[in-house]
């Protein structure tokens, strides 16, 4: 069974450190000051902290069993990685048609217009033991667990 | 509006080379110290409202922040210290009492730091706690005058009826902190940690939230002067009941939970209208003597069918020894004494810093008095009021306590940084607050884990120190003042503590 990011809304404090560390993880330098310095122009976090009053949670790709985004993708950029089973977007192939954004039931894909038009989504920090958002959440509001079909942590 | 004479207590130092303007500090500060300047795309700070809680410093992902004491200096004056001047400026502006939180912060003598422990050398062996059993099990409650045992062919039978006892795996309990003074998540953390560690936590005068009834077997439920949240189910749910007469941080005055903190959940738990101030009277209006106290103790014992030990908690004040003697004679199974440095969620600064006596002297006086009167066995003695480390616990037990209550140490384990602003309700660590934005910051899974770790670590250290003294059971340490020596204390202080000077 593959692991998923489990959201614990009751523990999310809305600090947005997950967004910061997501951005750093997907920078080429992996250095927080450099990522927010010279590299900042084309980087954006691949997850979003949704907030409404005191309720907040970090939303990232839910890694659907049957991903609509893959089905809708016109260029074949959105695909399930054969090695890890993670749904990822091949940014070299993506044409920025935003069909994936239209069909994503979780609203977890964003437009990245900072460089070339690409769909920006969580890749579970491709191959990492622990995604950066989970590793750096100060309140354990995100965990990385094996989940069942309904999305409940086992 | 007239000019305020207030100056900042702290200065925020932000390293611009490190700050990435991620605004985590902006989002985390409930005192609005940090703010984002969109025009210049930088984060700036207003020092004036910083309380020095370090929340921003701890969460800053680039370690760009530091908080220093404001270097602003007054002309030196041995009598008129800066803190005194600032207090007067504040009061001249507000006309109100000075309020504060946590325990006494004045440099009164801390006797723990003037006592040293013994260790075995040559003439008696020390014990290695890793290789040999070391017993920390403690029973709190009244012990019988003597044990009657009959023996027949099949073995011995205990004939004496033992009154109810609390069984502690470690002689450390979490002291009274009410739901209201601290958040639900903090209460849940304490309850879960106490349950996992085989000890007890105390509800304070906040009642018991329905979700915490499951931890009842590890709960001491308090009955205080406001009687908030006291009903039969509450009494029956707990393992023991505690009558709160006084609190070390504010002897002689009652608690005050401002109406803003009385949320729907708290109003239900305390059984008071939502949004109203929860004022605990200074005295219990039905207790004006030891005889009256006896009536309440026995009323509670009757209500709970003599199944639960009853504790009486008092602040350490002058004449604490005869007061404790009276409490024991009134029928209390446990006497809890809270010293000068004990904490609070809110107290008048003058009371916190000037009323009461240090717990070290109180334990020594009470234990000696109860022994001299031959009633020491009739009640267990619990010491509270700033146990900062396991060595303080060992010294408290060697002075005569059966167990200790910790609260400030427990809060620190959950993240408290002693900023002493609990009374504002803006605790950035999610502990002393009811603000839904802030209470989420304490994840009870993390809180319970950290508290459990603290108890485990202290238990290991206590065993190590006991082993060094050649003691393998905490019972042999209790009141064993031969293992204590005083350093830098005068003859009167040594006499009050009942210990010899180092070198003797």
């Amino acid at each position: 069974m593959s692991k998923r990011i489990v959201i614990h809304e009751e523990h999310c404090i809305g600090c947005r450190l997950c967004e910061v560390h997501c951005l750093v993880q997907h920078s080429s330098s992996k250095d927080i000051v450099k990522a927010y310095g010279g590299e900042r122009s084309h980087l954006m976090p691949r997850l979003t902290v949704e907030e409404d009053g005191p309720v907040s949670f970090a939303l990232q790709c839910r890694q659907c069993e049957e991903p609509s985004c893959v089905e809708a993708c016109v260029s074949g950029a959105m695909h399930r990685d054969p090695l890890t089973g993670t749904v990822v977007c091949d940014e070299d192939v993506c044409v920025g048609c935003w069909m994936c954004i239209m069909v994503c039931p979780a609203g977890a894909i964003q437009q990245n217009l900072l460089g070339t038009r690409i769909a920006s989504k969580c890749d579970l920090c491709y191959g990492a033991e622990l995604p950066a958002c989970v590793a750096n959440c100060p309140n354990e509001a995100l965990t990385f667990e094996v989940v069942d079909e309904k999305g409940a942590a086992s | 509006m007239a000019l305020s004479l207030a100056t900042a207590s702290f200065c925020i130092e932000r390293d611009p080379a490190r700050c990435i303007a991620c605004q985590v500090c902006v989002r985390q500060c409930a005192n609005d110290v940090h703010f984002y300047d969109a025009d210049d795309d930088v984060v700036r700070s207003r020092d004036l409202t910083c309380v020095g809680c370090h929340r921003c410093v701890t969460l800053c992902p680039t370690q760009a922040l530091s908080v220093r004491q404001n270097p602003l200096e007054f002309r030196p004056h041995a009598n008129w210290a800066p803190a005194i001047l600032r207090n007067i400026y504040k009061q001249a502006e507000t006309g109100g009492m000075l309020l504060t939180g946590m325990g006494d912060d004045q440099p009164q003598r801390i006797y723990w730091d003037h006592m040293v422990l013994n260790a075995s050398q040559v003439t008696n062996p020390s014990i290695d706690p890793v290789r040999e059993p070391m017993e920390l099990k403690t029973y709190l409650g009244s012990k019988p005058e003597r044990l009657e045992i009959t023996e027949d062919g099949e073995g011995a039978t205990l004939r004496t009826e033992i009154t109810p006892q609390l069984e502690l795996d470690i002689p450390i309990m979490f002291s009274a902190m009410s739901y209201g003074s601290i958040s639900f998540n903090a209460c849940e953390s304490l309850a879960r940690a106490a349950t996992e560690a085989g000890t007890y936590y105390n509800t304070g005068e906040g009642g018991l939230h329905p979700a915490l009834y499951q931890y009842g077997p590890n709960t001491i439920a308090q009955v205080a002067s406001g009687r908030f949240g006291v009903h039969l189910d509450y009494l029956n749910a707990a393992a023991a009941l505690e009558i709160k007469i006084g609190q070390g941080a504010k002897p002689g005055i009652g608690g005050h939970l401002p109406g803003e903190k009385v949320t729907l959940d708290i109003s239900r738990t305390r059984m008071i209208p939502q949004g109203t101030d929860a004022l605990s009277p200074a005295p219990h209006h039905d207790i004006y003597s030891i005889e009256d106290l006896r009536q309440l103790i026995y009323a509670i014992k009757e209500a709970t069918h003599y199944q639960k030990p009853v504790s009486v908690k008092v602040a350490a004040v002058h004449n604490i020894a005869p007061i404790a003697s009276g409490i024991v004679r009134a029928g209390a199974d446990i006497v809890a004494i809270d010293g000068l440095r004990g904490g609070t969620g809110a107290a008048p600064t003058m009371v916190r810093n000037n009323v009461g006596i240090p717990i070290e002297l109180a334990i020594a006086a009470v234990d000696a008095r109860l022994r001299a009167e031959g009633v020491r066995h009739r009640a267990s003695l619990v010491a509270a009021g700033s146990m900062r480390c396991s060595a303080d616990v060992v010294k408290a037990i060697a002075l005569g306590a059966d167990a200790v209550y910790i609260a400030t140490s427990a809060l620190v384990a959950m993240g408290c940084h002693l900023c002493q602003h609990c009374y504002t309700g803006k605790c950035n660590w999610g502990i002393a607050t009811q603000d839904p934005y802030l209470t989420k910051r304490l994840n009870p899974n993390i809180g319970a884990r950290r508290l459990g770790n603290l108890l485990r670590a202290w238990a290991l250290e206590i065993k190590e120190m006991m082993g060094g003294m050649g003691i393998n059971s905490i019972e042999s340490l209790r009141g064993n003042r031969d293992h204590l020596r005083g350093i830098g204390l005068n003859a009167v202080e040594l006499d009050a503590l009942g210990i010899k000077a180092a070198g003797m």
Side-chain angles (χ1 to χ4, degrees):
Chain A
M1 286 288 279
S2 58
K3 283 185 172 180
R4 304 280 171 81
I5 295 175
V6 181
I7 299 169
H8 305 277
E9 164 267 316
E10 70 277 21
H11 301 318
C12 175
I13 61 176
C15 67
R16 296 181 180 256
L17 275 171
C18 49
E19 292 183 2
V20 171
H21 288 279
C22 177
L23 186 147
V24 175
Q25 178 68 25
H26 293 91
S27 68
S28 51
S29 67
K30 306 265 192 289
D31 178 285
I32 186 165
V33 175
K34 285 180 183 166
Y36 271 83
E39 293 188 62
R40 181 77 171 100
S41 59
H42 63 277
L43 289 174
M44 63 183 285
R46 289 154 182 244
L47 80 174
T48 321
V49 174
E50 303 281 356
E51 282 184 87
D52 183 9
V55 179
S56 60
F57 59 90
L59 177 69
Q60 64 293 90
C61 171
R62 306 319 301 149
Q63 299 293 338
C64 306
E65 287 293 324
E66 292 174 17
S68 313
C69 56
V70 172
E71 206 167 316
C73 184
V74 296
S75 67
M78 202 66 82
H79 66 287
R80 190 183 288 281
D81 185 272
L83 276 178
T84 60
T86 309
V87 178
V88 290
C89 176
D90 184 340
E91 294 180 358
D92 294 332
V93 178
C94 177
V95 296
C97 71
W98 313 139
M99 279 308 291
C100 53
I101 295 177
M102 298 283 283
V103 298
C104 176
I109 309 174
Q110 296 169 80
Q111 301 178 2
N112 185 347
L113 298 168
L114 297 171
T116 53
R117 292 160 58 96
I118 43 171
S120 172
K121 76 174 283 295
C122 170
D123 59 357
L124 291 181
C125 290
Y126 190 80
E129 200 172 310
L130 206 56
C133 55
V134 177
N136 289 286
C137 176
N139 210 34
E140 296 180 4
L142 295 172
T143 51
F144 198 45
E145 296 173 50
V146 174
V147 293
D148 62 22
E149 284 158 15
K150 288 175 186 166
S154 57
Chain B
M1 204 171 89
L3 177 71
S4 168
L5 306 192
T7 47
S9 301
F10 297 96
C11 293
I12 309 292
E13 290 187 355
R14 181 184 300 276
D15 183 349
R18 290 186 176 193
C19 179
I20 56 170
C22 66
Q23 303 177 55
V24 168
C25 51
V26 178
R27 291 179 207 106
Q28 290 296 297
C29 184
N31 297 304
D32 295 329
V33 170
H34 307 286
F35 63 99
Y36 178 63
D37 182 339
D39 294 339
D40 298 336
D41 187 32
V42 289
V43 177
R44 303 187 198 280
S45 309
R46 307 176 192 93
D47 293 346
L48 195 62
T49 50
C50 175
V51 298
C53 77
H54 294 187
R55 180 74 186 180
C56 57
V57 175
T58 313
L59 267 82
C60 175
T62 59
Q63 293 86 50
L65 288 171
S66 186
V67 175
R68 288 185 195 280
Q69 281 195 47
N70 188 350
L72 175 71
E73 286 175 356
F74 292 81
R75 179 177 288 277
H77 197 299
N79 191 29
W80 295 96
I84 290 175
L85 301 183
R86 289 202 179 98
N87 282 347
I88 293 177
Y89 294 144
K90 197 185 285 179
Q91 292 193 288
E93 241 168 78
T94 63
M97 277 202 287
L98 295 165
L99 284 179
T100 189
M102 305 311 288
D104 178 19
D105 65 354
Q106 297 301 298
Q108 277 105 353
R109 175 160 281 183
I110 297 167
Y111 285 93
W112 303 132
D113 297 338
H114 291 267
M115 286 188 272
V116 286
L117 293 165
N118 195 26
S120 304
Q121 298 292 300
V122 183
T123 55
N124 53 345
S126 51
I127 303 166
D128 187 343
V130 181
R131 294 183 175 80
E132 293 181 57
M134 192 64 71
E135 193 58 78
L136 295 187
K137 180 84 79 184
T138 301
Y139 289 92
L140 299 183
S142 182
K143 307 295 184 293
E145 298 280 338
R146 59 198 187 91
L147 291 178
E148 273 185 47
I149 296 167
T150 52
E151 282 187 82
D152 53 32
E154 292 176 7
T157 311
L158 179 64
R159 294 290 172 201
T160 311
E161 197 178 324
I162 307 289
T163 52
Q165 307 280 320
L166 288 184
E167 183 183 338
L168 282 67
D169 289 342
I170 170 174
I172 302 170
M173 302 185 288
F174 297 128
S175 194
M177 289 177 277
S178 68
Y179 174 40
S181 75
I182 59 171
S183 64
F184 177 82
N185 285 357
C187 292
E188 187 187 338
S189 302
L190 291 163
R192 281 167 53 181
T195 303
E196 282 159 27
T199 182
Y200 299 83
Y201 84 105
N202 190 311
T203 61
E205 198 187 6
L208 190 58
H209 190 279
L212 298 178
Y213 271 68
Q214 56 180 307
Y215 306 107
N218 293 81
T219 303
I220 298 176
Q222 219 175 47
V223 177
S225 59
R227 302 285 198 273
F228 296 127
V230 177
H231 52 90
L232 193 59
D233 290 343
Y234 171 75
L235 299 179
N236 281 326
L241 290 317
E242 182 170 270
I243 299 169
K244 179 204 174 186
I245 302 289
Q247 185 176 343
K250 43 182 173 180
I253 62 175
H256 176 182
L257 189 71
E260 307 88 78
K261 286 192 183 178
V262 181
T263 60
L264 180 64
D265 237 15
I266 289 173
S267 83
R268 283 180 177 158
T269 307
R270 294 201 176 208
M271 308 192 304
I272 55 171
Q274 190 177 349
T276 56
D277 287 6
L279 296 163
S280 301
H284 284 249
H285 288 314
D286 52 357
I287 301 179
Y288 282 80
S289 65
I290 292 291
E291 292 77 10
D292 288 346
L293 175 64
R294 185 178 178 81
Q295 287 200 358
L296 182 57
I297 291 172
Y298 277 89
I300 291 173
K301 287 190 177 186
E302 284 283 346
T304 54
H305 305 289
Y306 294 85
Q307 296 299 307
K308 299 170 195 293
V310 174
S311 167
V312 175
K313 179 182 177 183
V314 285
V317 290
H318 311 162
N319 299 317
I320 184 65
I323 293 166
S325 171
I327 292 169
V328 173
R329 288 161 200 282
D333 301 294
I334 300 164
V335 183
I337 304 175
D338 192 9
L340 171 65
R341 297 188 302 274
T344 176
T349 310
M350 292 302 132
V351 173
R352 186 195 74 170
N353 292 354
N354 294 284
V355 182
I357 65 169
I359 187 61
E360 303 91 319
L361 298 168
I363 307 168
V366 168
D367 181 65
R369 174 73 171 252
L370 298 183
R371 282 176 194 276
E373 292 181 356
V375 294
R376 178 65 182 84
H377 63 282
R378 279 165 56 178
S380 293
L381 186 55
V382 176
S386 189
M387 307 291 158
R388 304 158 301 165
C389 58
S390 58
D392 290 355
V393 177
V394 171
K395 290 170 189 175
I397 292 171
L399 275 178
D402 288 85
V404 303
Y405 265 142
I406 62 167
T408 301
S409 308
L411 296 185
V412 172
M414 288 192 281
C416 168
H417 279 55
L418 271 291
C419 77
Q420 307 183 35
H421 279 67
C422 329
Y423 64 95
T424 64
K426 290 184 184 176
C427 176
N428 273 323
W429 292 91
I431 300 169
T433 179
Q434 302 305 328
D435 180 335
Y437 284 92
L438 303 176
T439 54
K440 289 180 90 181
R441 296 182 183 182
L442 179 61
N443 176 343
N445 298 330
I446 300 175
R449 188 191 314 146
R450 294 180 63 90
L451 288 166
N453 283 344
L454 180 76
L455 291 180
R456 178 179 181 274
W458 284 19
L460 290 170
E461 291 175 342
I462 291 170
K463 288 178 181 178
E464 203 70 43
M465 283 181 269
M466 281 168 50
M469 288 185 262
I471 289 173
N472 64 5
S473 165
I474 197 88
E475 299 210 325
S476 308
L477 178 67
R478 191 176 311 134
N480 196 340
R481 297 188 200 182
D482 235 9
H483 281 293
L484 293 171
R485 290 290 187 272
I487 279 191
L489 299 176
N490 64 35
V492 176
E493 290 168 314
L494 289 169
D495 189 47
L497 289 166
I499 60 173
K500 293 177 188 163
M504 305 281 280

